[in-house]
Amino acid sequence: MSRRIALSVVAGVVALGGAGAFALAYAGEPQAPTLTHSEARYVAPAGDRDGSLTFTTDVSSGTKVKSVKVLAWPEDSSFARQRLTEKDMAAVESAVCEPAGKDTVRCSYGPAVTRDDAEGSPRGLWHFAVMATTTDGTRTLDTEAADFTIG
């Protein structure tokens, strides 16, 4: 084998080895969960019937999802001026999650809305914030995952 071919082979092996090491290192890093298909729906109370507020989202992660926290907040609030943080989300209510595929869970949250709740809530645009946390500690926070309006 000529010296030029030998050097080319060695350079190729080094380059492939480096790419493989990078791929293994990247694969070993925890990946933040992904939120998709987030939806909110508000139904006002009517007559003697309570209303409802529902939020759903799909959470995908290569690691098991530990918790999904949700918070509905009005557009005209302190959260609009001072962005929600992971610390803010730590104490809020949790969604219920069910398997929805290989690495995905479908999470939902749906409290009843009484007439008093509806009358005491600010009118206008509201947002749902959602924070998904996996068992390896990675998190994703979306402060405006879905919107709804209280009229």
Side-chain angles (χ1 to χ4, degrees), residues 36-41 54-58 106-109 146:
T36 57
H37 308 296
S38 298
E39 297 178 356
R41 184 168 181 241
T54 57
F55 172 78
T56 58
T57 192
D58 291 344
R106 182 134 182 101
C107 302
S108 59
Y109 171 76

Side-chain angles (χ1 to χ4, degrees), residues 40-149:
R41 184 168 181 241
Y42 171 74
V43 176
D48 292 341
R49 182 182 52 86
D50 283 345
S52 63
L53 176 60
T54 57
F55 172 78
T56 58
T57 192
D58 291 344
V59 182
S60 300
S61 176
T63 307
K64 185 177 177 184
V65 174
K66 178 180 177 181
S67 70
V68 175
K69 302 284 193 160
V70 295
L71 174 67
W73 60 278
E75 174 73 24
D76 188 22
S77 72
S78 63
F79 291 135
R81 293 179 291 284
Q82 300 171 347
R83 303 305 287 169
L84 276 164
T85 65
E86 290 180 359
K87 185 177 177 183
D88 294 325
M89 295 296 291
V92 302
E93 295 184 42
S94 296
V96 175
C97 301
E98 300 291 333
K102 181 179 179 235
D103 293 327
T104 304
V105 292
R106 182 134 182 101
C107 302
S108 59
Y109 171 76
V113 178
T114 66
R115 182 166 304 285
D116 288 343
D117 293 335
E119 289 173 358
S121 296
R123 302 290 179 246
L125 183 64
W126 284 63
H127 306 287
F128 260 106
V130 59
M131 183 173 72
T133 305
T134 62
T135 55
D136 66 9
T138 59
R139 289 187 179 96
T140 295
L141 172 61
D142 185 346
T143 60
E144 295 183 18
D147 301 328
F148 64 98
T149 302

